[in-house]
């Protein structure tokens, strides 16, 4: 099995090229790092060996209102583009339960941003239409991977795992801040257009990195 070589080169202050087959991350859109790749040749390494069972991934954020649904839609889109959708089962949920959120406002802003970026708008609308789901104890047994959208959600997820005594169950927990080759401080809670755009682009980078990492492990 071939392990894809991943070389990250900082070419200049504003262009970071990730040489892993054929994609690059560069700074565009008013300072937002964007993944650019050739949609015709979205192939930076071997795909996973086919298995009889789909690998299951759960994406969590704090509320399952905006960030994890956005990440879920990005995940679906990228796997579709790599033609490996049949190898993954993806869903999203909240790491904890919150009361009194300004749900409508949050969802409206998130949809507004996704609509500008993603022509495949029906997919995200379908995901947003689902009722908010809260992570359960079972999540650690039934998923192969749990991806937390940031360190705070990761910490909350790890706390749950400890409280629920699920330390030795199979799910591997990772977070976007670690996966993303672009390190930047983030405060995604402030609901505004720019923050969601940043977040959308972070999802693309982190999920690409996740995909490469999983392939390299096989
Ligand atoms: C997450 O937990 C680690 C280890 O306890 C801590 O150092 C870090 O500050 C926490 N991060 C956040 C965002 O809460
Ligand atoms: C999110 O928005 C707040 C308020 O406008 C801002 O202070 C913060 O820097 C933004 N975060 C990012 C990552 O853009």
């Amino acid at each position: 099995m071939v392990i894809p070589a991943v070389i990250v080169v900082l070419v200049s202050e504003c262009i970071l090229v990730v040489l892993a087959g054929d994609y690059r991350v560069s700074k565009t859109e008013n300072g937002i790092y964007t993944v650019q790749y050739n949609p015709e040749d979205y192939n930076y390494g071997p795909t996973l060996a086919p298995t009889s069972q789909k690998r299951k991934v759960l994406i969590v954020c704090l509320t399952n209102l905006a960030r994890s649904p956005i990440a879920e839609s990005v995940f679906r889109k990228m796997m579709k583009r790599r033609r490996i959708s049949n190898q993954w089962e993806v869903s999203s949920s909240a790491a904890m339960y919150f009361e009194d959120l300004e749900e409508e406002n949050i969802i409206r802003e998130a949809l507004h941003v996704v609509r500008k970026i993603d022509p495949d708008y029906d997919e995200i609308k379908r995901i947003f239409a689902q009722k908010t789901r809260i992570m359960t104890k079972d999540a650690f047994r039934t998923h192969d991977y749990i991806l937390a959208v940031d360190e705070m959600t990761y910490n909350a997820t790890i706390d749950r795992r400890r409280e629920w005594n699920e330390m030795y169950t199979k799910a591997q927990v990772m977070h976007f801040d670690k996966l993303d080759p672009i390190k930047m401080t983030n405060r995604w809670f402030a609901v505004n257009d720019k923050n969601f755009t940043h977040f959308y682009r972070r999802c693309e980078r982190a999920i690409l990195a996740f995909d490469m990492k999983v392939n390299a492990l096989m």
Side-chain angles (χ1 to χ4, degrees), residues 139-184:
F140 295 97
R141 296 179 194 177
T142 54
H143 294 84
D144 299 289
Y145 300 95
I146 296 180
L147 297 183
V149 299
D150 60 12
E151 191 181 81
M152 183 181 264
T153 313
Y154 173 83
N155 285 2
T157 306
I158 296 296
D159 287 347
R160 287 281 114 111
R161 188 172 67 176
R162 196 182 310 113
E163 279 164 30
W164 288 333
N165 236 331
E166 296 290 329
M167 304 294 278
Y168 304 104
T169 39
K170 76 171 173 182
Q172 216 179 314
V173 189
M174 303 180 186
H175 65 85
F176 281 11
D177 292 8
K178 273 258 172 69
L179 289 164
D180 187 356
I182 309 276
K183 304 298 170 202
M184 60 203 293

Side-chain angles (χ1 to χ4, degrees), residues 195-210:
N195 278 357
F196 277 134
T197 309
H198 264 298
F199 179 73
Y200 189 98
R201 298 307 187 188
R202 163 156 279 198
C203 289
E204 292 185 317
R205 298 188 304 263
I207 291 166
L208 262 173
F210 167 74

Side-chain angles (χ1 to χ4, degrees), residues 69 72-73 76-77 80 111 114-130 200:
E72 182 186 336
S73 82
R76 287 179 191 280
K77 192 167 104 175
K80 207 190 268 175
L111 276 173
V114 173
R115 185 176 213 158
K116 280 196 296 190
I117 301 175
D118 188 356
D120 191 5
Y121 184 60
D122 285 348
E123 176 85 50
I124 187 76
K125 267 204 323 220
R126 189 187 60 72
I127 297 170
F128 272 105
Q130 292 169 356
Y200 189 98

Side-chain angles (χ1 to χ4, degrees), residues 96-107:
M96 47 180 85
Y97 176 73
F98 286 89
E99 270 177 18
D100 300 331
L101 287 163
E102 286 179 44
E103 295 192 13
E104 277 174 27
N105 182 30
I106 296 172
I107 295 172

